[in-house]
Amino acid sequence: MRAQDLAVEYETVGIGTDATEAARLMARHKLPALLVLDEQGLPKAVLPASQMVKMLVPQYVVEDPALAAVVDERHADLLCRALADRTVRDCLTDSVPAPATAAPDDTALEVAALMARVRSPLVAVVDERENGARLLGVITAAHLLERLLAVAP
């Protein structure tokens, strides 16, 4: 199996996409992460769902988790307001590495090794040609496991 055969369509967002819209997309499709694309439509970053959740939690609660117990449910329901007027760019930390990418001819083992090395739930498959690069699709860890287990004895 080659990366181009494993790649599937996957939900993506632009760097300027509204953060609330991105969070809703993650929730609706139960995605572990979103692939963030730059202005040219190429992989820019992987935005984990855990990072979106972190955006909802006030900084004082992150620093002192015991304070979470004193916030009542009425105020907890307002947490999503933290995403208002923010974009996906605002949700990415400065230390976010470039997303893991595979070439179309990479083997399933090469993709698996890449996922393991960078601890990413997804790998973008990018076809880089002389006339420019093009996103072919994404391989998720779950999809890769499914395909590998299907051929296992």
Side-chain angles (χ1 to χ4, degrees):
M1 287 181 278
R2 298 289 175 178
Q4 64 190 355
D5 303 320
L6 294 167
V8 296
E9 285 187 36
Y10 192 81
E11 298 293 342
T12 62
V13 293
I15 196 86
T17 300
D18 178 77
T20 302
E21 181 183 324
R24 284 190 174 119
L25 186 63
M26 279 181 176
R28 185 176 332 119
H29 297 286
K30 297 175 178 50
L31 300 173
L34 286 172
L35 181 62
V36 180
L37 304 179
D38 65 13
E39 293 80 9
Q40 289 75 43
L42 295 174
K44 169 83 173 158
V46 172
L47 178 59
S50 59
Q51 179 63 24
M52 291 300 280
V53 170
K54 183 179 178 186
M55 295 295 296
L56 303 178
V57 179
Q59 188 60 37
Y60 63 87
V61 176
V62 172
E63 293 169 3
D64 185 359
L67 293 174
V70 300
V71 176
D72 63 21
E73 287 302 313
R74 187 173 64 83
H75 287 96
D77 291 344
L78 303 175
L79 291 178
C80 287
R81 288 189 182 171
L83 297 177
D85 301 321
R86 291 191 173 186
T87 64
V88 167
R89 177 182 281 113
D90 300 325
C91 298
L92 298 172
T93 62
D94 293 335
S95 62
V96 170
T101 59
D105 289 333
D106 286 354
T107 65
L109 183 56
E110 288 174 302
V111 173
L114 175 60
M115 274 184 185
R117 187 171 57 255
V118 300
R119 296 180 181 208
S120 177
L122 56 94
V123 170
V125 180
V126 178
D127 188 6
E128 296 187 30
R129 303 214 176 185
E130 291 177 17
N131 56 349
R134 182 172 67 97
L135 176 66
L136 297 180
V138 169
I139 303 169
T140 65
H143 181 69
L144 181 59
L145 282 170
E146 176 186 56
R147 293 292 300 269
L148 293 173
L149 289 170
V151 297

